[in-house]
Amino acid sequence: MTLRLHNTLTRRKEDFAPIDPKAVRLYVCGPTVYDYAHIGNARPVIVFDVLFRLLRHVYGADRVIYVRNITDVDDKINARAERDHPTLPLNEAIAKVTEATERQFHEDVAALGALPPTAEPRATRYIEKMRAIIERLIARGVAYVAEDHVLFSPAAMDALPGAPRYGALARRSLDEMLAGARVEVAPYKRDPMDFVLWKPSKRGEPSWPSPTGIAAPGRPGWHIECSAMSMATLLEPLGGGLECDDPTRNTFDIHGGGVDLVFPHHENEIAQSCCAFGSSRMANVWVHNGFLQVEGEKMAKSLGNFITIRDLLNSNAFGGRRWSGPALRWAMLRAHYRQPINWTLRALEDADLALHKLGTRIGAIESDGTWGYSDDDSDETGAGYGGGQANIEEDFAEALRDDLNTPLAMTILQAMHEPRQLRAGLDLLGIDIDAHARWLEEEKIRSVNVDRVSALIAERQKARARRDWKESDRIREELAAMHVAVQDNKDGTTTWELRR
């Protein structure tokens, strides 16, 4: 089956045909590095990591270019720097904040099993590219200077021959977008829908020489950053960019992000890039993941349900316990990426149990060829999959090629019998079953008195040796009260694990 993706631009599922199969190009909007990433931020990281893995699987690992940017110039960063480092010069304080937050982000998403992208450009390293695009937009009559600002005019874009219509991605008219947007009211704007490409910096803020002869130093608007970074990493290396007159070289394959970015961010990216390059499309396919709620409510600090990835990994803030990265990833992929997801304690518990069962199955088969399941577990695995083992690998891959249908793929995965198939499927989903097993062992050591457990198991083995079943059962119950489950193995040994 051909890879099919739902294209936000056309509102339909389409066969994916890369511009160049030897250089498949994917751009995803990354984090603004001012604080810990929350669980909503984790969803696009995981979704597009699965897409990255699938593209590598289909076209070859060395034929896919995945770019995820870092926004390191923003008012929120400035505010955090002033708050956390009030005695330092602002630029020095900003550097501390962005470097620390970027490091935290990388640690957290690595725990979620995300591969590093091919390139991860930081906005502040591409200011010159941003200025060049802005000057091209002014020269083409779709941007103008007003009070040391440079603004883009959607109305002028709609009058530019060959340019796409502003609002085509969001499928809204200018009036509808104006009514639904938080539009900054400013006297220097020619039209309320005009948006900022460049603005003057306040005293002490990060600043660079402004484009087009503006005397006051300034800094870029948010939207222009992604136009510049995608140009520098996905177009110029393949012969595109501002010096290229061929519009087909100034389009890449896939642009992704959360559905909240469709308007205004992605709409404005399209406007800037297409008008600068004279192309009709910035990207051929636009892929957006759905919203995330927590226990049925919008996540918000005011509601007390704001959860960071770091909270889930390292604290008892959600459900009174810590969670492994693979379990978080499994829970995220249980819903189709385009659908809203309800982040619940039950979903995490189910994910934890599912990974435990898969790990037990793989370990048992690899060690002695048995399933490693009790009778009451065996009928739960792979429920809902009606195919047979002969075609199960292809059915799994086909589910993913059908617009990343991870819920179906995970159902098929749980019905697999062969460890090789299971490991290959888990790898394509980015779920490290061995990392989850190591995490369980670490939790075992952290959560219980291991010496006490070992002593009780030794006592129980002695009781069993002398056929004192009453004492053996009493010790088993004592261990169960400690959330410890024991397993008597065929070779006469006894192993144990934590049970929540």
Side-chain angles (χ1 to χ4, degrees), residues 1-3 16 18 21 24 51-61 63-64 397 401 428:
M1 178 182 176
T2 302
L3 173 60
F16 174 67
V24 184
L51 178 56
F52 181 37
R53 289 169 182 270
L54 182 60
L55 291 171
R56 286 160 53 100
H57 177 75
V58 173
Y59 296 100
R63 296 183 174 186
V64 182
R401 289 196 295 262
L428 197 50

Side-chain angles (χ1 to χ4, degrees), residues 357 373-384:
K357 289 182 177 181
Y373 267 124
S374 63
D375 292 339
D376 59 342
D377 286 342
S378 59
D379 62 346
E380 298 176 10
T381 59

Side-chain angles (χ1 to χ4, degrees), residues 283-297:
N284 281 333
V285 181
W286 290 79
V287 179
H288 293 94
N289 63 268
F291 289 112
L292 178 143
Q293 291 185 319
V294 176
E295 298 289 359
E297 294 185 308

